Amino acid sequence: MTLWNGSYPFYPGANACFPFDTTRAVIVTIFLSMLATSIIILPGIRGRGRLFWFLRLVLGLFMGAVILTVQFTRDWETGWVQANTSYKSFSPAQVNADIGLHIGLAGVNVTLRGNPVQQINETINYNEHFPWNFGADYDRSYSQGLEKGLPSPILYVAEKFTTQSPCAVHRQYRIAGHYVSLTLWLAFCTWLISILLFSMSILLYGGHMLLLTATLTFFSLIFFSTARNPLKCPIQFGSVSLRTDYGESFWLTLAAGLLCLLLGLGIVILNSVQPEKLKLIFSLDKSSKEEMWDKSCLPAEPSCSAQDELMVPLGELCHVTATRL
């Protein structure tokens, strides 16, 4: 039996990792496709209602895309540090690397990137995920990392979140992630209901559903904030420590919640103060169209032939006296 380029030809090679999060890419692609389709039909809408319709579309798609996407992101809490650290256990070799910690709702990502990437005859560029969602065993994935011989900085950071760690942060992050995910799914459902109500021209209840969406979004942020305790278990690399802060997903969720709150309050207030302007924004003002219809069908207009044939001047009407037999 011979070798082919140092390996057996009938054995499969290592599975290549996709360079980005495919779930996020699919969600963004779907919402962008909906936006592109709506832009194509935009010229078919006449008058000033075109601008209002486009703004409603963009704001609605943005809120829905954010609420759905942050369910699967891994950057609710992030932190980076550059340090000189040991690369492997039982080895005196030191490397200069950027070490990153990314905490999501379903687990932890630990990143190790060398400065430069090529050091000690190896390519130092790792991104390992340790899940804690339903059906996943964080301690088992950590044990598998030990068996694979992952670099020491990755194992050191991942060990802080194990169930046996004295840091005791695994349980609070895991439970907080489950509650955040649940409230965000509820917020996504209320967002869908608000879109349905607006399409049925039930504006007041649509505004109420937006307010409920904002409330659920804020609750999800509060649930995640309760899990943070950066001073309880510092992650130290020599003289520097890895500190984390709220990540991109947290701030995007906050922006979507504030947007839902402002739009919901605006709709409720306009409905009680100036309902005509609210109808104008949602292209429900039919007065101008009725006016044009009435003017076009006056008796003096030659275009209304049916009216010309049936209308009789009042002066030509005669009075008829009826006698009871």
Side-chain angles (χ1 to χ4, degrees), residues 84-273:
N84 291 316
T85 179
S86 61
Y87 181 56
K88 295 283 187 179
S89 299
F90 310 106
S91 174
Q94 296 277 323
V95 295
N96 184 273
D98 292 326
I99 306 164
L101 173 61
H102 314 277
I103 303 175
L105 303 182
V108 170
N109 267 62
V110 185
T111 304
L112 180 67
R113 186 181 305 140
N115 284 321
V117 176
Q118 297 289 338
Q119 294 185 53
I120 58 175
N121 297 325
E122 289 191 28
T123 301
I124 305 175
N125 192 3
Y126 292 86
N127 185 16
E128 297 293 330
H129 180 62
F130 302 91
W132 57 45
N133 56 326
F134 287 114
D137 189 346
Y138 186 92
D139 291 341
R140 179 176 176 80
S141 62
Y142 174 73
S143 299
Q144 291 175 349
L146 286 172
E147 295 174 0
K148 289 192 299 183
L150 292 177
S152 297
I154 294 179
L155 296 175
Y156 168 67
V157 176
E159 186 183 8
K160 300 288 185 179
F161 294 89
T162 58
T163 57
Q164 305 299 326
S165 173
C167 298
V169 294
H170 173 86
R171 187 172 182 271
Q172 61 189 39
Y173 269 109
R174 186 172 182 268
I175 294 177
H178 291 166
Y179 278 106
V180 171
S181 181
L182 176 62
T183 52
L184 285 178
W185 278 119
L186 291 176
F188 184 72
C189 292
T190 55
W191 171 80
L192 286 177
I193 295 174
S194 69
I195 296 298
L196 179 61
L197 291 174
F198 288 140
S199 65
M200 297 171 62
S201 302
I202 309 176
L203 305 183
L204 180 60
Y205 291 104
H208 290 164
M209 294 309 296
L210 279 182
L211 292 177
L212 181 57
T213 303
T215 303
L216 291 171
T217 304
F218 292 146
F219 269 115
S220 69
L221 298 176
I222 294 173
F223 289 149
F224 187 80
S225 299
T226 57
R228 293 192 72 242
N229 193 357
L231 299 179
K232 186 175 182 179
C233 191
I235 304 175
Q236 199 75 22
F237 292 96
S239 60
V240 295
S241 60
L242 175 58
R243 300 183 181 277
T244 59
D245 203 351
Y246 293 121
E248 178 183 348
S249 296
F250 183 90
W251 298 116
L252 273 177
T253 307
L254 178 61
L258 290 175
L259 184 60
C260 290
L261 178 64
L262 293 177
L263 292 178
L265 285 176
I267 290 172
V268 172
I269 294 174
L270 278 179
N271 185 78
S272 59
V273 177

